[in-house]
Amino acid sequence: MTKITQKPDGTVSFELKITKETIATEYQKVLLEVSKTTEIKGFRKGKAPLKMVEAQTDQSKLYSHVLDHVLSPAYSGVIREHKLVPLVEPRVTPKGMEVGKDWVMEVSVAIAPEFKLGDYTKSIKKIKETDKDKKLNMIFDALLKITNFEVSPILIEAETKSALSRLAKQLLELKLSVADYAKSIKKTTEEIIAEYKKSSESNLKLEFILRKIDPNRKKALDILSAL
């Protein structure tokens, strides 16, 4: 069984090893596929000897295809083995990828964090606001205040990038860059990114809290509104 390290914030890390035998087998499959579309003088297309095809093909491209083929099954195997539910694409950092040897990679991924709900009912019952939207925002603030936990930096980074990407797309329609937008509201690009990161973290925490109250998000909101 592959050993994993799991933090309370939901960050899971493990070392992924792909044997040299698996790599060699996949290399031959990739080489065979490449040979079918390779043209070498003196041979019909796809009929040249594999050794000649290999000699004239960029090795880095061949091994890049091999990696594409072997990484996903190996990663998925560990995920199934430990019954993990990843929320974002994994971070993969090569540790050793020499030809003729086992490949070793460090993999990190984010799952839901571990935490306990605070006694939110007492705090929410104290909220007397009658405006529905204002009350809901006050409930959200109360939930974040009384439930203390961390979210994986991997997940926060992915959410921040997604939010910034949406902003950039909206600004593109206005023919503005993020830097121009930041300048127009008298902030730096770094300040905009920091604000989006903070907002992403709060939104993620709130989503996890709501799902903890009830897996059905709408039902969770109904429960909170009825308090």
Side-chain angles (χ1 to χ4, degrees):
M1 177 176 280
T2 304
K3 182 181 178 181
I4 68 170
T5 300
Q6 184 173 334
K7 296 180 180 179
D9 67 10
T11 302
V12 176
S13 302
F14 55 89
E15 190 175 86
L16 188 65
K17 184 169 82 171
I18 302 172
T19 66
K20 59 185 179 182
E21 290 80 14
T22 298
I23 296 164
T25 299
E26 199 59 45
Y27 180 87
Q28 290 302 314
K29 291 179 182 178
V30 168
L31 185 59
L32 183 60
E33 283 302 311
V34 170
S35 73
K36 293 177 181 178
T37 57
T38 300
E39 294 185 43
I40 294 179
K41 190 175 181 180
F43 298 91
R44 283 185 295 160
K45 182 179 180 180
K47 297 299 181 180
L50 289 182
K51 285 292 183 183
M52 295 183 69
V53 173
E54 184 178 29
Q56 79 159 37
T57 305
D58 186 339
Q59 290 291 293
S60 65
K61 289 184 178 178
L62 286 175
Y63 278 107
S64 178
H65 285 303
V66 170
L67 179 61
D68 288 341
H69 290 186
V70 300
L71 179 58
S72 182
Y75 167 75
S76 298
V78 177
I79 296 304
R80 289 193 300 271
E81 183 182 353
H82 291 275
K83 297 181 173 60
L84 301 174
V85 183
L87 301 176
V88 290
E89 291 296 311
R91 286 181 182 174
V92 181
T93 306
K95 292 183 69 178
M97 295 184 67
E98 293 181 50
V99 175
K101 294 185 178 181
D102 294 342
W103 285 357
V104 181
M105 286 154 273
E106 185 67 30
V107 180
S108 296
V109 72
I111 63 173
E114 299 173 355
F115 67 97
K116 292 182 179 180
L117 281 173
D119 185 9
Y120 61 90
T121 56
K122 187 184 296 184
S123 297
I124 292 174
K125 283 179 179 179
K126 292 179 182 178
I127 299 173
K128 303 303 180 184
E129 177 62 54
T130 55
D131 182 275
K132 186 177 179 181
D133 291 334
K134 287 183 179 179
K135 182 179 180 181
L136 198 55
N137 285 329
M138 292 173 74
I139 288 173
F140 290 163
D141 289 341
L143 289 172
L144 290 170
K145 186 176 180 180
I146 64 174
T147 308
N148 185 31
F149 66 102
E150 299 298 322
V151 176
S152 172
I154 298 173
L155 194 54
I156 295 172
E157 182 181 324
E159 184 68 18
T160 303
K161 283 184 177 179
S162 179
L164 287 169
S165 178
R166 291 193 296 271
L167 172 65
K169 187 175 180 180
Q170 292 168 355
L171 293 176
L172 186 62
E173 295 176 359
L174 300 174
K175 297 182 179 179
L176 285 173
S177 66
V178 174
D180 291 333
Y181 168 68
K183 190 175 180 180
S184 72
I185 58 174
K186 298 180 180 178
K187 292 183 178 180
T188 64
T189 302
E190 289 72 22
E191 287 174 330
I192 295 292
I193 293 173
E195 288 177 0
Y196 268 70
K197 183 178 179 180
K198 185 177 180 180
S199 176
S200 294
E201 183 176 6
S202 295
N203 290 340
L204 285 166
K205 285 184 175 182
L206 185 58
E207 191 64 29
F208 284 124
I209 292 169
L210 291 176
R211 300 288 180 184
K212 193 88 165 180
I213 292 172
D214 194 282
N216 183 323
R217 191 179 189 279
K218 186 180 183 306
K219 189 174 179 180
L221 291 173
D222 289 342
I223 291 170
L224 294 169
S225 299
L227 290 174

